[in-house]
Amino acid sequence: MSYDLQFVSSISATPTVRLDLRAAPWAPQGATTFGMAELRRAVVSTLMVDGDRYPAAAYTNRTITLVLQIWDVSDDDTAAALQALFRELDRPRNILRYRPGTSVGVHFRTFRTTPDAVTWDPVQRVVTAQVPAEPFALGLRVDLPPVIVYNDPAEGTTLNSNPFFTTSLSASGWTGTGGTVARDPGQAHEGTGSLLLTPDGVTATVTAQSELVPVTAGVVYRASAWQRCAAARSVSVGIGWYTAAGAFVSSTLVATSLAATTWTEVEAYGTAPPTATQARLIGGSMGSTPPGSHLLWIDEARIRRSGGPGGMCFDISGVLGDVETPLMFEHGATALISSAAPKTMIGIRRRGTVTDTVVAVGAEELTGLGADTTLQTHDGAMSGGGDNYLRVSFSTTPAMTHRGGINWTGTAMRGTYRVLARVRRSDATSVIRMRVSSGGGAVVGDPVVVPLSTTTRLVDLGLMAVPSCADPVVDGYSGVEMDMLGGVGFGAERVSGSGTLDVDYLLVVPADDALMVVDWPDGGAGTDPRVRLDGTAGMGYVLTSGGAVRRADQTVQIAGAGAIYALPGQVNRITWARSVDTALASADSLNDTTTITVSYWPRHLYVAPVGS
């Protein structure tokens, strides 16, 4: 059996071995153990209630017992071997690599061993050392593939396989009804081609649709496509909903009048019906028996989950190890380290079915609109498509009142959130205040003054519990989580002046697990290409092109959680609000993206099986 027990220089696949305790003259004995981290609990009890409660718990350090025998060497060589061991045990920090015959090993980060914790039996030539170590064994660093996070919550991850019609994909994934579809390299809104839909001239409704993609009932999805028609006419885009067996349920369509030979973006939002588990993107649909000459080109045709991964959030799954592990985020520094000095808010949801949670709620999704609050026609500076923002005029009711909200049912959205609203004022002098409210209309938050600027920005409205009432969470002693009815909305008032308030979307950042607010430093990034939020060290810092830590004036300040931890065996959803409460318009552009690389070290209680 291949077996490793070594003091090494670092946790890597090819470390420098400082002392090999499996090589002559050393022979580990059966009494060698690696202990187990003890779970220490805070205990709360009262004579008024049976039993104790454990409001908090944390692992303590472990103690590794090394029992090592020296074989078949002279007394002088024995003394030299002992000295080499004592030097390793006396290091303030050391790394002990342990692989008990498994394909992969683990690493224990050890502390200095006191002299009275080491004994030497000169007759048996056996040394016993009690070595203190951190609670968990560590695996090799895992670097996840980079993810692109859009500063627009409507820009979720594309679900259909072929949205851009590149040469290699041709027209794969697309079918036509009442006509034919083919890739046309002669027309493109972007890239090198588009999808051409040619009507057969006799069918009443002609469509081009994608393959079926999975959806979740009750969740809002966004369909969008750029369209160009050879004739001026009405063309629709939308979503067709289907059951798990492939039976058609219903469709959501939005029609737009296209000018001839002009590329136009068309968008539609739809909520998946209760029986729907699949959907097709309807990239283009023409009714009224279009003639064969009404050629329709389609490009950048995508179906996305509104407020889902890609749009201000991303998911991490398949985390290795036994227990939660701190994450390390690294991304380009240039966009964030500038005179704008924006703040970034980061939260995580780790419990339940996080793929059913919502990160952002567009203004067009809010219901129960209050006084003086109306949905406005499309504005490219606002997120989403179609009528995509609310305007509060305060013309009849300037006092604080609920202006709009959304309700959720089930269990996915239960929790506490930091609520932010993306807003725009019509002037910089009127005093306007906002409060967070429940989806049903109760205004529950403290008033927040919207900064005196016409810059579009994210404004922090504070904390909101969903549901906003007494919540037992589970049904009695059953352990079964109860459904709830709860939601989020906003209230607004105009204290003085005549200005109006535009609301783009509400962002709900999970705050009941870990919430981090990062204050980036002022000043140019220069040649420094990367910034790192290091959960292992609980700090942020800037790196130069050579990987060195940047000078002191580039300090990254972190408020709230010092680290974001991910759980193994669970999808972990990270919400990333890039620019919070910044005064510069350029710092909150919907077109901004952040490419983030996530790394972590798996943490094990004892050993590491392959793939864990």
Side-chain angles (χ1 to χ4, degrees), residues 204-570:
T205 302
V206 180
T207 65
Q209 56 190 20
S210 74
E211 78 278 20
L212 287 169
V213 298
V215 296
T216 301
V219 171
V220 178
Y221 291 85
R222 176 193 182 196
S224 65
W226 284 86
Q227 299 172 336
R228 181 182 190 271
C229 191
R233 63 162 298 130
S234 176
V235 180
S236 298
V237 71
I239 306 170
W241 309 105
Y242 295 81
T243 66
F248 176 75
V249 177
S250 62
S251 62
T252 302
L253 290 170
V254 171
T256 299
S257 295
L258 301 186
T261 65
T262 302
W263 282 105
T264 304
E265 185 179 26
V266 184
E267 298 181 298
Y269 283 84
T271 302
T275 58
T277 63
Q278 303 180 92
R280 293 186 193 277
L281 167 63
I282 302 172
S285 179
M286 297 182 287
S288 304
T289 314
S293 60
H294 283 200
L295 303 177
L296 180 67
W297 290 271
I298 302 167
D299 201 0
E300 298 180 67
R302 296 183 284 173
I303 180 172
R304 289 162 283 180
R305 175 174 175 162
S306 180
M312 303 185 81
C313 73
F314 57 95
D315 293 343
I316 297 174
S317 59
V319 175
L320 305 182
D322 305 326
V323 296
E324 63 180 10
T325 187
L327 300 177
M328 185 163 66
F329 305 107
E330 189 170 303
H331 56 85
T334 305
L336 291 176
I337 299 180
S338 65
S339 59
K343 295 182 176 66
T344 295
M345 185 176 292
I346 306 168
I348 185 170
R349 171 56 58 84
R350 312 187 305 172
R351 56 177 176 76
T353 307
V354 302
T355 52
D356 290 343
T357 61
V358 173
V359 170
V361 182
E364 57 271 37
E365 301 174 53
L366 299 179
T367 59
L369 300 184
D372 306 327
T373 304
T374 55
L375 191 61
Q376 303 294 301
T377 57
H378 182 80
D379 184 336
M382 297 299 194
S383 173
D387 299 341
N388 63 343
Y389 70 101
L390 295 176
R391 174 160 293 170
V392 185
S393 66
F394 304 107
S395 59
T396 64
T397 309
M400 178 66 72
T401 186
H402 175 80
R403 306 288 179 170
I406 188 171
N407 275 316
W408 297 298
T409 59
T411 62
M413 292 303 294
R414 172 179 273 118
T416 302
Y417 300 90
R418 195 74 168 262
V419 181
L420 299 99
R422 188 171 190 263
V423 301
R424 178 179 62 193
R425 300 164 47 109
S426 63
D427 65 33
T429 57
S430 300
V431 177
I432 297 175
R433 302 198 303 178
M434 299 182 71
R435 295 174 73 176
V436 67
S437 66
S438 68
V443 184
V444 297
D446 294 328
V448 175
V449 176
V450 179
L452 299 177
S453 167
T454 57
T455 298
T456 305
R457 68 181 69 216
L458 279 171
V459 175
D460 188 355
L461 302 183
L463 294 174
M464 175 73 193
V466 178
S468 57
C469 60
D471 182 17
V473 182
V474 296
D475 185 13
Y477 289 124
S478 68
V480 177
E481 187 172 357
M482 302 175 67
D483 286 345
M484 63 91 197
L485 173 63
V488 68
F490 75 97
E493 68 176 342
R494 187 175 64 200
V495 180
S496 65
S498 59
T500 62
L501 178 70
D502 294 341
V503 178
D504 185 7
Y505 61 78
L506 300 179
L507 184 69
V508 286
V509 183
D512 47 8
D513 198 331
L515 183 68
M516 174 188 293
V517 180
V518 184
D519 190 354
W520 305 108
D522 296 333
T527 60
D528 303 338
R530 292 173 292 160
V531 62
R532 180 181 289 175
L533 300 177
D534 189 345
T536 65
M539 65 176 65
Y541 44 87
V542 183
L543 299 174
T544 66
S545 57
V549 178
R550 178 69 166 169
R551 61 184 184 269
D553 64 345
Q554 297 289 321
T555 301
V556 179
Q557 299 180 13
I558 297 176
I564 301 292
Y565 286 77
L567 274 174
Q570 169 69 56

